[in-house]
Amino acid sequence: MAYNLNAANWRGIPRSSGSAYAPSDYTASEIDPQEEETWDEWERESQYESDPKCLFCSQVFELPEDAFHHCNEAHGFDFLAVKRSLGLDFYKCIRMINYIRKQVLLKPDLASTKEFGLTGQEEFWDDDELLQPVMEDDALLFAFEELEVADDGQLQEEEERHNATTQKVDLSAIQPTTELENKLLHMLKNSSERNGQLQEQFEEYKKMVKTTFLTNIIDDTRSERSMSVMSVRTDNTQRNKDDPGNYYFESYAHNEIHEQMLKDKARTEAYRDFMYENKDVFKDKTVLDVGCGTGILSMFAAKSGAKKVFAVDNSNIVEKAQANIKENGLDHIITVIRGKVEEIQLPISRVDIIVSEWMGYFLLFEAMLDSVLVARNRWLAPNGIMAPSHTRILMAALDDEDLKNDRYNFWDDVYGFKMSAMKQPVLNEALVDFIKPHTIISTTTTLKDLYLQQIVTKQLDFSNKFEVEITRDGTVYAFGGWFDTWFTRDGHPIPLSQEAQKVQGETFLTTSPFGEDTHWKQTTFVLQKPIEVKRGTKIHGVFTCHKGIENIRELECSIQYSVDDSTDVSIQNFTLRS
């Protein structure tokens, strides 16, 4: 979509020419065939698929300026006025837009607000999580810079008018008559020169920061889309390399893996309970089951009152799913479709609910969430629900010497032989197994929060800071990770402060060592160098996780950490393999 700042494309609400939201006076040429190339500076090319949307209500516009003007006129929020009055920099503007988007999700009544104000004292201004878009393809995150241009133009006009009526002092024309006057004049000249230099440096700095920040966002977006194309098109050479022989889908064609998942009571009953306890939500709705397997979730949805269910899977298991559905007399409700969600076509344009059991080890292993998000973007209705709607990856420190001995020190004496060459690969492989609850020696930290109604594919690869506090004296031999999952009636996000509390209208599933065992178990990252700790010690660092370079179904992780105020930083890399 291209946003053209010319009169021929302007269809917004009439505005005064003195407004920063007003259109340009430029008129498109009717005879110049090179117009688009000649007037590149008047065009803003957007890579986003969605139109500019009001910060508060669901109304969309052709141009971002229309959306900002609507926010001012309909909801009493003047973006530029707030920016000027609070002295907001580029990053705070980004945080402000995302903060409002998030508040609207949490408080739907804000969609009809007539007045919205900010004092500058709110806690969100330094929240770096708000530098990530709350709404996918949010054009306003880019467009407010264009408003800045118009704003600067008005200020420049005012300054010129002020200068025209104010006599400028020419310092070179001043003739000091005393030694004191000479010193003062010298100081004034130095101050004036220094001020000019600082102003030039500051303008260059602002330009560099804005350009770098926006370029990174654009590059990330292009990278995300190129990765998406690479991962979903079967005729793409790179995809064939990443998923040789379609092994992933073939692995789900056999009974054993489905039996294991169905016997996981915590997992299966969470989905069942959410649907059976919220039949009013599912009644007469259209449901899409992504990765339907045996068809169990589709049958739960049908029994919960769904009018129509589409069960999609790219494995041979669909043949058994079809038989299971027919055997239970639900084939008049459930339609089974074999194929990838990136390629298939549904006979309808929108679904009300998407259910999917996409979670892998450490939540993101197998990269199935990418396909679920494709399905969401293609078919989920504007007020539709993702089930689950929110997930969260967590981590804690472990005091488990036996684990270190079993995985690492074992190679020091193998029937009387040393096999040190076997050690390093072990330390670079994440271990999927059950963590003994009593080995947890620290507080729990959130590594990644995934609000599935809004998250975009590029955010599934992440690098986030963490900090855990030791709860008793001991030795940290490893870090352990797991994930929590929520199902909600309306798809609302779960606050970070909320853990495993039972909340009305929500269904909670945990893979924590303190919860019921699941087939996901937990994921352990064994450290090469154990850390001696005391109660109150803090371990902090950065946890990085991304899809495997050679196999996108795998995960590659890196933990960078240090203890308390120490300047010694340790880094260890891990791979989570199938």
Side-chain angles (χ1 to χ4, degrees):
M1 177 185 300
Y3 298 127
N4 300 309
L5 293 180
N6 57 53
N9 290 305
W10 195 270
R11 296 180 177 86
I13 304 169
R15 290 155 287 196
S16 65
S17 60
S19 170
Y21 304 114
S24 163
D25 291 332
Y26 169 67
T27 302
S29 168
E30 297 179 355
I31 60 174
D32 184 4
Q34 304 296 325
E35 176 192 40
E36 291 187 358
E37 297 178 5
T38 305
W39 295 98
D40 282 343
E41 65 271 26
W42 291 95
E43 297 188 351
R44 287 169 294 171
E45 295 296 335
S46 173
Q47 301 297 321
Y48 300 106
E49 297 177 359
S50 59
D51 290 329
K53 180 183 177 184
C54 171
L55 289 170
F56 300 92
C57 66
S58 60
Q59 191 166 345
V60 296
F61 300 86
E62 188 166 317
L63 290 168
E65 286 80 359
D66 291 318
F68 281 117
H69 180 75
H70 170 80
C71 290
N72 186 20
E73 294 294 314
H75 303 289
F77 180 74
D78 188 334
F79 180 90
L80 286 178
V82 173
K83 176 182 179 299
R84 287 196 297 266
S85 64
L86 299 183
L88 303 183
D89 62 15
F90 179 78
Y91 296 104
K92 283 185 168 59
C93 288
I94 293 286
R95 292 186 180 100
M96 178 169 65
I97 290 173
N98 286 323
Y99 170 76
I100 296 173
R101 297 276 193 215
K102 191 170 185 178
Q103 289 302 302
V104 171
L105 290 174
L106 295 171
K107 303 172 184 177
D109 289 347
L110 283 175
S112 58
T113 187
K114 300 299 181 184
E115 185 176 358
F116 187 86
L118 295 169
T119 65
Q121 302 302 312
E122 293 82 5
E123 296 181 357
F124 74 85
W125 294 108
D126 295 317
D127 185 355
D128 284 348
E129 287 190 7
L130 291 176
L131 291 176
Q132 297 184 358
V134 171
M135 187 183 82
E136 185 177 6
D137 292 345
D138 191 348
L140 299 195
L141 290 177
F142 291 84
F144 78 82
E145 282 297 287
E146 299 297 333
L147 298 182
E148 180 75 15
V149 173
D151 191 25
D152 289 345
Q154 293 178 51
L155 294 177
Q156 183 177 357
E157 289 180 5
E158 293 176 4
E159 183 178 354
E160 290 174 352
R161 287 196 298 269
H162 174 75
N163 290 339
T165 57
T166 304
Q167 184 176 1
K168 186 176 180 179
V169 177
D170 184 2
L171 297 180
S172 63
I174 298 178
Q175 298 296 326
T177 58
T178 67
E179 182 178 355
L180 180 58
E181 288 180 352
N182 186 58
K183 288 182 178 180
L184 289 175
L185 180 61
H186 182 69
M187 293 173 61
L188 186 59
K189 287 181 178 179
N190 287 341
S191 176
S192 178
E193 291 175 0
R194 180 60 177 162
N195 183 61
Q197 293 171 357
L198 290 175
Q199 185 64 29
E200 290 178 3
Q201 293 172 6
F202 183 61
E203 290 301 323
E204 287 297 318
Y205 171 75
K206 287 198 298 182
K207 181 179 179 182
M208 180 271 293
V209 168
K210 292 176 182 178
T211 302
T212 302
F213 187 82
L214 284 176
T215 299
N216 287 341
I217 292 178
I218 293 171
D219 288 346
D220 287 346
T221 302
R222 289 172 178 168
S223 175
E224 174 196 353
R225 295 191 172 186
S226 64
M227 286 176 65
S228 176
V229 171
M230 176 184 69
S231 65
V232 304
R233 298 198 181 279
T234 56
D235 58 348
N236 186 288
T237 303
Q238 184 62 45
R239 173 56 189 262
N240 292 335
K241 291 181 180 178
D242 291 339
D243 203 1
N246 251 358
Y247 84 93
Y248 171 70
F249 296 107
E250 291 176 0
S251 70
Y252 280 89
H254 308 293
N255 278 21
E256 184 178 0
I257 191 169
H258 294 285
E259 180 180 354
Q260 180 190 35
M261 291 188 293
L262 290 170
K263 287 182 176 178
D264 183 341
K265 292 183 60 179
R267 162 210 181 258
T268 308
E269 291 181 0
Y271 282 87
R272 182 201 64 186
D273 292 349
F274 172 67
M275 288 186 254
Y276 282 10
E277 293 174 5
N278 296 282
K279 290 185 176 181
D280 60 311
V281 174
F282 282 80
K283 183 176 174 57
D284 296 329
K285 296 297 194 300
T286 301
V287 178
L288 172 61
D289 179 2
V290 179
C292 68
T294 61
I296 186 67
L297 301 188
S298 294
M299 290 189 282
F300 285 157
K303 283 292 188 179
S304 298
K307 176 177 61 178
K308 189 65 182 177
V309 180
F310 295 98
V312 179
D313 205 302
N314 195 42
S315 163
N316 287 333
I317 194 67
V318 294
E319 297 173 6
K320 296 175 182 177
Q322 182 72 68
N324 295 336
I325 290 164
K326 186 173 183 179
E327 184 179 16
N328 288 277
L330 295 171
D331 51 323
H332 64 293
I333 298 175
I334 305 172
T335 298
V336 179
I337 302 173
R338 179 169 185 177
K340 301 174 183 177
V341 295
E342 296 88 351
E343 299 171 352
I344 65 168
Q345 297 298 325
L346 296 182
I348 57 174
S349 60
R350 289 287 183 266
V351 299
D352 302 299
I353 302 170
I354 293 179
V355 297
S356 179
E357 197 280 80
W358 54 266
M359 297 86 81
Y361 301 133
F362 201 58
L363 188 64
L364 297 176
F365 181 73
E366 292 184 332
M368 183 179 167
L369 180 54
D370 297 56
S371 294
V372 176
L373 297 185
V374 170
R376 180 199 68 186
N377 296 341
R378 291 188 67 185
W379 294 299
L380 189 63
N383 295 318
I385 300 171
M386 299 287 289
S389 57
H390 203 125
T391 57
R392 185 172 292 158
I393 303 175
L394 305 109
M395 187 180 75
L398 307 180
D399 185 349
D400 191 346
E401 187 175 9
D402 291 339
L403 176 66
K404 181 67 178 288
N405 289 334
D406 290 343
R407 294 284 293 169
Y408 186 71
N409 296 333
F410 164 78
W411 300 104
D412 288 335
D413 184 359
V414 182
Y415 296 98
F417 298 96
K418 290 185 177 182
M419 297 187 178
S420 301
M422 308 299 293
K423 282 186 173 183
Q424 195 58 40
V426 169
L427 286 175
N428 293 127
E429 292 180 2
L431 172 66
V432 176
D433 204 347
F434 292 109
I435 292 173
K436 296 185 285 289
H438 73 271
T439 65
I440 294 179
I441 195 177
S442 75
T443 56
T444 300
T445 184
T446 295
L447 294 179
K448 181 66 176 178
D449 209 37
L450 296 89
Y451 178 43
L452 303 176
Q453 302 282 139
Q454 294 285 342
I455 196 166
V456 296
T457 307
K458 69 178 179 181
Q459 294 173 322
L460 304 185
D461 292 341
F462 65 90
S463 183
N464 288 338
K465 295 180 181 179
F466 72 87
E467 180 178 273
V468 294
E469 183 173 343
I470 301 302
T471 55
R472 67 174 187 269
D473 295 357
T475 304
V476 175
Y477 290 95
F479 290 108
W482 59 89
F483 63 89
D484 289 345
T485 302
W486 287 266
F487 302 78
T488 63
R489 288 171 53 88
D490 57 1
H492 67 262
I494 304 298
L496 277 174
S497 58
Q498 181 175 327
E499 296 178 355
Q501 302 97 316
K502 178 66 176 178
V503 177
Q504 185 69 28
E506 297 177 1
T507 301
F508 176 71
L509 168 64
T510 184
T511 64
S512 161
F514 299 103
E516 185 177 352
D517 287 349
T518 72
H519 77 284
W520 289 292
K521 303 179 183 179
Q522 291 88 38
T523 303
T524 303
F525 306 91
V526 180
L527 300 180
Q528 183 170 359
K529 298 178 181 178
I531 310 170
E532 298 293 331
V533 292
K534 298 289 186 180
R535 181 178 180 179
T537 298
K538 293 182 179 179
I539 303 175
H540 51 86
V542 176
F543 191 101
T544 300
C545 179
H546 60 81
K547 297 178 182 66
I549 295 175
E550 295 183 359
N551 185 342
I552 61 172
R553 302 290 178 185
E554 297 178 346
L555 292 177
E556 295 181 4
C557 304
S558 172
I559 305 179
Q560 174 182 317
Y561 61 93
S562 57
V563 180
D564 286 335
D565 297 327
S566 173
T567 57
D568 294 333
V569 178
S570 298
I571 302 176
Q572 195 166 334
N573 298 318
F574 302 88
T575 300
L576 181 54
R577 305 183 189 278
S578 55

